[in-house]
Amino acid sequence: MNVYVVYFRERWGRCLFFMGWLLLPDKAGGQVDTLRTVTVSDVCLEGNYRTREYIVFRELALQRGDTIPLHQLAGLLEIDRRKVVNTNLFISVEAQPEFSEDSATVQINLLLKERWYFLGVPVFQLADRNFNEWWYDRNRDFRRITYGGYLSYGNVTGRGDRLRALVELGFIPKYELSYSIPYIDRKMRLGLIGGVSYSTNKSLPFQTWNDKLDFLNSEAITRRRFYTFLAGTYRSRFYGYHSLDLRWNSATVADTVLRLNPRYLSEGNTQQFFQLTYSYSYDKRDIGQYPLRGHLFTIQASKRGLLPGDDVNQGYLYGVFKQYVPLSEKWYFNTTLRLRTAFPAKHPYVNMVGLGYRLDLVRGYELYVIDGQHYGLSQNELKYKLFDIKKTFQWLPRQFGTIPLAVYINSFGDLGYIRNPYPEWSNSKLSNRLLAGTGVGLDLVTFYNMVYRLNYTFNSEGEQRLFFVVAREF
C-alpha cells in the first residue's frame, strides 16, 4: 500500500489541516498510479464572514468541474492555499478534501480565519532612517520621535479594499490618507489606488557628507511637502502584477536650506513636478510575509517631469530579483539582486537615492548613506529553522486567538557597488568601490506580518556592530 497524501491533526489546534489521507492498491511494482483522476465536485468556503466569495475564488486554480490526476491533488491544493494566505485577508487558511465513496469526486473545503480588519494603533516611532542610526549616530535623542495614530480599515466592503489614515506629530508632522481596491471590473483584473500626503519638517537632512546625513535643526519649519497620486493596477492571472502610477509632487524649503546646500533643489526654493511610474512584478513565493521557496521579479521605470513647466527632468530604472531555495526540512537559502540606474548624472540633492535607504543597503553599512546615480547590490542568506509553531487560545477573539511564531538563525553575506560621478559633492569615501558585509542573525516571525531581526555584522571598514530591525513584510 502507498500513502501519498497526508492527513493529520495539528498538535495544538482543533481544526484539521489538510494535506489528506488516501490508501490505494499498489500498481506496477510499487509505482504511483498516475492515470487515476478525480473530479472536483464543489469548492466550499467556511469562515469568510466579511470577505466576498469571489475574492477567494479569484486565487484558486482548482474550480468546480475540473478533472485532475489524483497524485497531483495535494500539491495543487497547497499552492492554492498559499495564494489565499497571500491576500493578507486571513490569519490562517486550511484546505480539506472530502472524497466520495468511490473516490471519483472530491469536494474541496477551505477553512478560513479572517483577520481583525479594523486596526487603530498609536504611532510612536523614530524619525531617522532606522533604529540603528538613531541609536548610534543621534545619541538616542527622544526629541527625534514622531507620535500620533494610524488607522487601517481593511476589507471595508468585503472586496479586499483598504482605507488608511495616518496622523503623526512630533519631530516630523505628517498626514496621509489613501484608499485601494484590488478589482473594479467583472473579470477581476483592474484595480485602483489613490491618496494624498502632507508633511512638514523643522529638522531635515540638508546634505550627505562623509557618507553620513547632516541635519539642519531649527525652531521654524524648514520644509513642506505635498503629493497626491492615482494608480491603476492590472493582474492578468495569479502571479503577475502591473501598475501605472501618476502623481503630483510639491516641495518648498526655507532659504536657510539653500544657503547650506545650493544643490538641494534645482533652482529656487520650490520644486513641483508630475511623475509617471510603471511597475511590473511577478511574485511566485510561497508566503509573502517570510518566504522560504519561490521567486520574485520586479522592474520599475519612472519619469519625473512630464510637462515643460515641471521643475525636474529625471528618470530611473530599478530592478529586483529574489530566489528562495529550501535545502532541506530545516535549512533554507535565499539570494537577492538589486540594480538601479538614474539619468541624467546631475540630480538635485532632494531627488538623490543611493545605498542606505529601506532595504537597499549592504548589511554592516546601516549607519551610512552613499549617494550615487547607479548601483548594484547582491544579498545572500543561509538560514536554519529553530522552530515554527502555531498556538490557539480559545479565550482570545478569533482574529487574535491563533498566534504563529517562527524563529530562524541566519548567516549572510552582501556585496554592493555604487557609481557616483561627483563624489566631491558629499566627500564620499564609500562610493566607486566594492563594499562587502557579512554577519549572523536571529529572525523572529509572528502574526500580522511582523518580523523582528537581530544581526551582528562585519563590514569592509573593519567595523562590527549589533543591529536591530523591526519590519512589517508582505
Side-chain angles (χ1 to χ4, degrees), residues 68-277:
I68 58 174
L70 186 56
H71 70 279
Q72 295 181 8
L73 178 62
L76 294 175
L77 271 182
E78 176 61 14
I79 291 173
D80 275 357
R81 187 192 71 83
R82 290 171 180 170
K83 286 187 292 188
V84 177
V85 169
N86 285 335
T87 62
N88 286 307
L89 296 175
F90 306 100
I91 296 173
S92 65
V93 179
E94 299 176 6
Q96 290 185 1
E98 186 177 329
F99 291 94
S100 61
E101 291 185 2
D102 59 0
S103 296
T105 64
V106 60
Q107 175 178 299
I108 298 171
N109 300 312
L110 286 180
L111 307 182
L112 311 169
K113 184 174 289 187
E114 292 186 320
R115 292 175 179 268
W116 183 268
Y117 295 125
F118 189 87
L119 293 176
V121 296
V123 172
F124 188 80
Q125 62 186 15
L126 304 174
D128 294 297
R129 290 180 305 117
N130 52 54
F131 173 85
N132 307 293
E133 184 183 58
W134 175 79
W135 184 266
Y136 291 109
D137 287 349
R138 308 301 170 203
N139 299 317
R140 299 175 283 282
D141 185 354
F142 281 95
R143 291 174 298 178
R144 304 177 68 84
I145 296 292
T146 62
Y147 56 88
Y150 171 72
L151 172 67
S152 175
Y153 188 10
N155 218 11
V156 179
T157 65
R159 297 175 174 86
D161 49 342
R162 182 180 297 274
L163 177 66
R164 291 185 175 96
L166 174 69
V167 175
E168 288 184 355
L169 305 173
F171 195 70
I172 303 178
K174 180 189 295 184
Y175 311 90
E176 293 184 347
L177 182 67
S178 67
Y179 176 75
S180 63
I181 182 168
Y183 309 113
I184 58 174
D185 63 323
R186 289 187 176 182
K187 292 185 177 181
M188 302 185 67
R189 296 179 179 178
L190 300 175
L192 284 176
I193 307 172
V196 295
S197 174
Y198 175 75
S199 61
T200 61
N201 295 70
K202 291 184 178 179
S203 174
L204 85 164
F206 66 91
Q207 71 173 2
T208 306
W209 193 254
N210 292 329
D211 302 303
K212 296 288 186 79
L213 295 178
D214 279 349
F215 273 81
L216 164 66
N217 296 307
S218 172
E219 294 301 319
I221 292 177
T222 56
R223 182 175 65 183
R224 303 177 190 270
R225 290 191 296 178
F226 174 82
Y227 71 82
T228 182
F229 73 96
L230 180 66
T233 61
Y234 177 75
R235 185 183 179 201
S236 57
R237 190 57 175 154
F238 292 124
Y239 304 110
Y241 299 83
H242 303 260
S243 74
L244 193 63
D245 180 301
L246 177 65
R247 63 183 57 203
W248 184 74
N249 300 270
S250 176
T252 303
V253 299
D255 294 338
T256 308
V257 177
L258 301 181
R259 286 196 297 269
L260 293 171
N261 184 0
R263 289 186 295 270
Y264 189 87
L265 297 178
S266 20
E267 58 180 66
N269 64 351
T270 299
Q271 184 186 83
Q272 296 181 343
F273 60 93
F274 282 95
Q275 180 176 358
L276 186 65
T277 303

